[in-house]
Amino acid sequence: MSAAPQDAWPEEAARWHWTGAVPLQVHLHDADVTALPPPPPFMLFGPRIGYFPLLVSTIKAHFSSSLPPGVDTVWFEYKGLLLKWYIPIGVLFDLLCAEPERPWNLTVHFRGYPADILSPCEGEDSVKWNYNNSLKEAAFIITGNSKNVMNMSQADQLAMWESVRKRDTDSYMNISTKLKLGPFEDHFWTSSLEPRQGSDEPESPGSVKPCRVPVRLYVRRVQEDLEYFEDAIPVSDWESVSYINRPFEIRKEGGRRITTLEHALETLLPEFFGSKPTARAADPEPASTTPDSAPDDSDTTQGTPRDREAALASPQEMDVAKKARVKLVRIQGMELGLDTPFLWVANNLRNPECFLHVCVYIGA
């Protein structure tokens, strides 16, 4: 992607969601209480783009006088559901609180880490590794390789991570523009003789390549007849949430002036957003990558033929069925209309690792 000057970035919107935070009320789990009376809950703000392990030192300081002896193995839960530390705080809030809960009441554990169902976390080092791995994955999706990220100097790597940890948008903008990972456009022109992905032949100067946006989708199923989100049944286990890692490719097509959020989701989630209602949708499997592996360009899941078999219906019936299935689309705490331009969403609401995180509520 051609280099873009710093002022081309939508700085106002970036600052808005970079400074956004979720009010938290953290309770110490009863099993970790060793002094009476039990300590009061701790109130703090969790940065939307941040991660729970980065809050541990602050939370521990509040509960330190009540903790049992031993080595800390900190984890959080909400209504009995353990929280995955590698998902941004804002995404977890948008996904798990159908009706936003303020403050968000969480329970913290300092012992008994559930290593059998939650990947290990070594504090900030694990979060930093997760961030860098996601950034490399996003770079591969956008440019076809991860060289820009892999070749960053140690100083730039450290400065970028510190900018994310401290939510310093100015420092982040100064470094991220060097990576040439945005802003997204409906296409971009290649001006250098770089090899095509999967080929030794260089791109022709001035040729047009599609723009690819890294997207992570979290699909939550709620009651089909749900009218008020406050009545949504809480998520009891992560198997009821589908995590889907798919890039969205933007191409200029005749007759379409603007690619909308609805068009993007129809492409990313044909199981639910297709123009024809389906009998049922297959459960997607989580995508996984290692630090040195390239993400797969294909979808992470494929439904069976019966899963994707469309029932015959009139346009009116199809529209009703679509509205019944899709209850809510939430990004960065906002309930967005499906007619929102997708490029605006991708450029303004993506996270610092260059992924757009989208929470979708489906009636099922």
Side-chain angles (χ1 to χ4, degrees), residues 9 17-18 48-51 88 131 134-135 138 160-161 163-165 167 172 176 179 181 332 349-357:
W9 287 80
H17 82 258
W18 270 60
R48 276 195 151 272
I49 63 170
Y51 301 84
Y131 170 80
S134 293
L135 184 63
M160 171 168 269
W161 170 246
S163 72
V164 173
R165 190 176 66 84
R167 294 189 290 169
Y172 176 83
S176 64
L179 300 179
L181 300 180
Q332 295 292 358
L349 302 182
R350 66 177 180 171
N351 271 43
E353 81 286 3
C354 296
F355 270 90
L356 179 68
H357 297 261

Side-chain angles (χ1 to χ4, degrees), residues 48-319:
R48 276 195 151 272
I49 63 170
Y51 301 84
F52 277 114
L54 302 182
L55 304 180
V56 167
S57 59
T58 302
I59 294 172
K60 181 180 178 180
H62 175 78
F63 293 121
S64 59
S65 62
S66 299
L67 296 178
V71 178
D72 295 330
T73 54
V74 187
W75 54 288
F76 296 82
E77 69 168 273
Y78 172 61
K79 293 186 175 179
L81 178 74
L82 60 85
L83 302 182
K84 296 187 175 184
W85 59 265
Y86 46 85
I87 298 179
I89 293 173
V91 177
L92 288 169
F93 181 69
D94 292 345
L95 176 67
L96 301 178
C97 294
E99 180 69 21
E101 178 183 321
R102 298 184 179 92
W104 191 17
N105 282 276
L106 305 176
T107 300
V108 62
H109 300 251
F110 283 82
R111 301 291 183 270
Y113 193 87
D116 56 330
I117 51 178
L118 186 62
S119 59
C121 178
E122 302 298 331
E124 183 177 338
D125 287 343
S126 294
V127 180
K128 181 180 178 181
W129 178 89
N130 177 70
Y131 170 80
N132 288 333
N133 190 40
S134 293
L135 184 63
K136 286 188 288 184
E137 186 178 351
F140 185 91
I141 292 171
I142 296 169
T143 67
N145 62 70
S146 304
K147 292 179 181 178
N148 286 356
V149 178
M150 300 285 284
N151 294 334
M152 289 177 68
S153 67
Q154 288 292 329
D156 278 353
Q157 289 182 40
L158 178 60
M160 171 168 269
W161 170 246
E162 286 299 304
S163 72
V164 173
R165 190 176 66 84
K166 297 177 180 178
R167 294 189 290 169
D168 183 345
T169 53
D170 290 330
S171 296
Y172 176 83
M173 295 292 184
N174 288 335
I175 299 169
S176 64
T177 50
K178 300 178 185 179
L179 300 179
K180 303 177 182 179
L181 300 180
F184 298 118
E185 300 174 358
D186 55 6
H187 69 282
F188 62 94
W189 297 87
T190 59
S191 56
S192 59
L193 295 177
E194 297 179 351
R196 294 187 184 95
Q197 182 179 334
S199 172
D200 294 330
E201 298 180 5
E203 291 278 5
S204 301
S207 62
V208 178
K209 293 177 63 179
C211 172
R212 305 184 78 212
V213 179
V215 182
R216 284 182 174 154
L217 301 119
Y218 308 81
V219 181
R220 173 181 173 179
R221 289 165 174 79
V222 295
Q223 304 96 298
E224 188 172 11
D225 58 352
L226 182 68
E227 294 187 18
Y228 304 101
F229 286 110
E230 62 186 16
D231 298 327
I233 298 174
V235 176
S236 59
D237 58 70
W238 283 101
E239 292 183 358
S240 61
V241 174
S242 299
Y243 167 78
I244 306 171
N245 209 28
R246 290 176 181 166
F248 177 67
E249 195 169 273
I250 301 176
R251 295 178 180 270
K252 276 194 169 181
E253 299 180 13
R256 181 186 294 117
R257 294 183 178 180
I258 297 176
T259 299
T260 64
L261 179 59
E262 180 174 18
H263 173 250
L265 291 175
E266 284 177 346
T267 304
L268 292 165
L269 294 173
E271 305 94 326
F272 307 110
F273 282 85
S275 59
K276 295 181 180 180
T278 57
R280 56 182 292 272
D283 292 334
E285 294 294 331
S288 61
T289 60
T290 61
D292 300 320
S293 66
D296 191 347
D297 289 341
S298 62
D299 290 351
T300 57
T301 111
Q302 294 292 334
T304 64
R306 187 176 65 178
D307 292 334
R308 297 181 180 274
E309 183 180 355
L312 297 177
S314 68
Q316 293 82 2
E317 289 172 331
M318 287 188 284
D319 185 59

